[in-house]
Amino acid sequence: MQEQLNQIKEIAQRIRTLREILEIPTEQLAKATGISEEEYLEHEAGKRDFSFTFLYNCAQVFEVDIIELLTGESPRLSFYSIIRKDTGLPMKRRQGFTYQHLAYRFSDKVAEPFLVTAPYFEEEQNQPIHLSRHEGQEFDFILKGELKVQMEGHTEYLKAGDAIYYDSGHGHGMIATGGEECVFLAIVMKDGQKGE
């Protein structure tokens, strides 16, 4: 628990430092991350954990690799990168969800590939699913279990072998369903229009 709190504080410090170096007002970053300025300042102070969407949106604004926010280091490989089983860069974001970044050593990525494990929570099954938004597109391929996916006003149920591809600028959210955790490959592709 203390290790996770330390990691949150370190990430918060990197975000604050980058924002200050780039002279970006907190109001602008709050808008880019889709939260209030007050919530943004709590994140930057290390008082809240970060969602993947928050970190991804910050990295896009700062024009850095998300790995730099997570670890403070820049990826260096540019030809190829291998991640052996269970050695992806771990991220614990959102209640119980675990992510393993599968290309964290590779620089100038056009996509962020993750192995995601979504835990099953009975109490979530009949609750509204929180929707996130970020620039780009996303591809999710279900490896194990079942995923309930909310795409704004649409609900889909995906099982092992199913896939979904979507514009992640639209509201999207997901939970494990079917009584067990769901494991899926998520590939988040950056917006190709940015910077042109």
Side-chain angles (χ1 to χ4, degrees):
M1 182 67 173
Q2 187 59 42
E3 183 180 330
Q4 186 177 5
L5 291 174
N6 290 341
Q7 183 185 31
I8 291 168
K9 295 246 184 233
E10 289 171 8
I11 293 169
Q13 178 63 47
R14 286 190 277 274
I15 290 170
R16 182 173 46 256
T17 300
L18 278 168
R19 183 187 58 74
E20 290 172 351
I21 289 169
L22 297 170
E23 299 178 345
I24 299 171
T26 56
E27 178 184 315
Q28 181 182 338
L29 215 41
K31 184 176 180 184
T33 55
I35 59 177
S36 71
E37 188 172 8
E38 181 181 327
E39 288 173 303
Y40 173 80
L41 289 169
E42 289 178 3
H43 281 295
E44 194 176 271
K47 295 178 180 174
R48 286 180 173 230
D49 200 352
F50 307 99
S51 68
F52 167 77
T53 301
F54 178 87
L55 292 171
Y56 183 83
N57 287 334
C58 284
Q60 293 286 94
V61 171
F62 297 146
E63 296 183 1
V64 299
D65 195 296
I66 192 172
I67 302 307
E68 291 182 51
L69 296 180
L70 291 169
T71 67
E73 297 180 17
S74 298
R76 292 181 173 80
L77 299 177
S78 61
F79 178 39
Y80 72 92
S81 170
I82 295 174
I83 303 298
R84 301 288 180 199
K85 182 179 178 180
D86 299 327
T87 63
L89 179 68
M91 293 174 53
K92 290 189 178 174
R93 301 289 169 248
R94 198 171 146 198
Q95 182 185 0
F97 271 61
T98 59
Y99 299 76
Q100 282 190 53
H101 198 296
L102 301 177
Y104 68 95
R105 295 181 182 127
F106 199 87
S107 64
D108 298 322
K109 292 180 284 301
V110 295
E112 303 285 349
F114 295 94
L115 182 63
V116 182
T117 301
Y120 175 82
F121 293 113
E122 182 64 39
E123 62 273 13
E124 288 183 329
Q125 299 307 303
N126 296 311
Q127 299 296 320
I129 296 175
H130 172 75
L131 302 182
S132 298
R133 291 172 176 77
H134 52 85
E135 291 184 9
Q137 299 174 347
E138 189 165 335
F139 171 79
D140 298 333
F141 181 79
I142 312 306
L143 299 169
K144 173 187 162 210
E146 187 175 346
L147 197 65
K148 180 180 179 182
V149 180
Q150 187 74 40
M151 304 300 292
E152 293 181 348
H154 305 276
T155 302
E156 302 289 345
Y157 291 85
L158 305 176
K159 295 183 179 184
D162 293 343
I164 185 170
Y165 189 100
Y166 52 93
D167 178 341
S168 46
H170 290 275
H172 61 281
M174 53 210 57
I175 61 169
T177 193
E180 64 179 353
E181 72 180 16
C182 180
V183 179
F184 61 100
L185 179 64
I187 301 174
V188 180
M189 289 148 283
K190 298 177 182 177
D191 183 2
Q193 305 296 323
K194 196 162 183 112
E196 289 184 1

